[in-house]
Amino acid sequence: EVVVPDHASYFALSPDGQRLAYSLGSPGESQALWIMNLENTRTEQVATGRVGPFTWSIDGERLLYNVSTQQEHAQKPTPRGINHGYLATYSLTSNERRQITPEFKQVGVAVWSPDGQWVTFNATREQGENPEVFLMTSDGSALHPIGTEAGTSVPADWSHQSDSLLFTDTGTIGNEAGSGLWQHHMETGTNTLLAKGNIKAAAWSPEGKKIAFLQDNHLLILPGEGARALTVAEDVAEGDLTPSFQWLSATELAYLTTTGSIVRLANIE
């Protein structure tokens, strides 16, 4: 059993299981970021102030976290992100702390690509604008949006090879208009519309050939490139912070129903 001080809010275990990152602070107040070595329970304070959600790099050598610059009457950081802030990293090797993005009006939770080379997140540049999906290298360079300025964009899931990213967008890209699920191709920098509609979440299957997505309480499967989406469930809950469904294997899914039951689907081809 690992015991941390009172008022811990978020925590994240490093990929190798050797370190625990966690934030401390009273609700609505500062959220300091700490790292505990689980072998000897030694702790180190990484950042102070209003620190929001954080995540480990794939190799466990860096911690990526949100920092709020709003001091007075600030909204408490939530699992969705922070208002008026930026993304920063802490290196366990060099003990260096770096701001790797400019300040945004709102910045969401960042996600590493499986190969550790890229980071994606959604953020709002100016007050009143819609959130966009941004992509950058893991050191903060090559920062650019991949969605639309007119629509609200949210990153959904990386492919296992890190060669494409799923995201949802309510705007217009090229000649395609309206809400939908999109695939961003890393090699070409282009986007492909996979499905239209009010889509809340999406995830690649473990073998990387199928995509499951949630649309209006319906769970659908895209069985392959250019294929038509198939509905496999019609009573799926809409998860608030995390998807309400999960791949168990290449042919199995589990999902949460609108009545609170957990259902397992098998033989998904």
Side-chain angles (χ1 to χ4, degrees):
E1 180 180 358
V2 177
V3 179
V4 298
D6 292 338
H7 303 304
S9 48
Y10 314 119
F11 70 91
L13 187 66
S14 62
D16 62 5
Q18 299 300 308
R19 294 178 177 84
L20 179 71
Y22 59 93
S23 57
L24 294 177
S26 301
E29 302 297 331
S30 296
Q31 298 280 326
L33 178 58
W34 293 76
I35 293 178
M36 176 186 292
N37 187 318
L38 296 180
E39 291 186 349
N40 53 31
T41 68
R42 291 180 181 174
T43 60
E44 177 183 4
Q45 186 170 328
V46 173
T48 59
R50 294 184 179 275
V51 179
F54 41 84
T55 180
W56 290 95
S57 61
I58 304 303
D59 60 8
E61 290 301 316
R62 285 178 294 170
L63 196 62
L64 177 64
Y65 56 97
N66 300 48
V67 179
S68 176
T69 57
Q70 193 175 20
Q71 299 300 323
E72 297 182 0
H73 308 293
Q75 179 179 336
K76 178 188 174 184
T78 73
R80 289 190 183 277
I82 58 172
N83 292 325
H84 299 279
Y86 56 86
L87 293 176
T89 56
Y90 171 74
S91 170
L92 271 68
T93 304
S94 65
N95 293 326
E96 181 185 14
R97 299 160 180 81
R98 291 185 60 236
Q99 177 179 338
I100 61 171
T101 70
E103 183 177 342
F104 292 95
K105 293 298 181 182
Q106 186 274 337
V107 57
V109 180
V111 181
W112 299 87
S113 61
D115 64 4
Q117 301 300 307
W118 298 90
V119 170
T120 184
F121 62 97
N122 74 318
T124 303
R125 294 194 245 196
E126 299 294 339
Q127 196 71 33
E129 291 185 356
N130 292 318
E132 303 172 72
V133 173
F134 286 86
L135 185 66
M136 63 182 177
T137 59
S138 60
D139 64 0
S141 60
L143 175 67
H144 63 282
I146 62 172
T148 71
E149 295 183 7
T152 298
S153 303
V154 179
D157 193 26
W158 281 98
S159 65
H160 300 287
Q161 298 79 22
S162 301
D163 57 0
S164 66
L165 172 70
L166 298 177
F167 69 96
T168 61
D169 199 296
T170 62
T172 301
I173 299 180
N175 296 322
E176 301 287 354
S179 302
L181 175 65
W182 296 81
Q183 181 179 359
H184 179 76
H185 306 277
M186 296 296 293
E187 183 176 357
T188 61
T190 58
N191 299 307
T192 301
L193 179 64
L194 300 179
K196 288 186 177 182
N198 182 28
I199 297 170
K200 296 294 186 180
W204 292 95
S205 59
E207 89 288 7
K209 295 181 179 180
K210 296 184 290 292
I211 297 171
F213 64 93
L214 181 62
Q215 179 178 4
D216 299 324
N217 297 111
H218 289 57
L219 184 61
L220 296 95
I221 303 294
L222 277 170
E225 186 176 352
R228 184 177 180 180
L230 305 174
T231 300
V232 295
E234 299 182 353
D235 59 342
V236 186
E238 292 187 356
D240 182 25
L241 298 176
T242 58
S244 53
F245 62 90
Q246 181 178 339
W247 286 98
L248 303 178
S249 71
T251 59
E252 296 177 297
L253 269 169
Y255 70 91
L256 180 67
T257 69
T258 53
T259 58
S261 300
I262 298 176
V263 177
R264 173 179 170 269
L265 295 174
N267 301 320
I268 299 173
E269 301 298 336

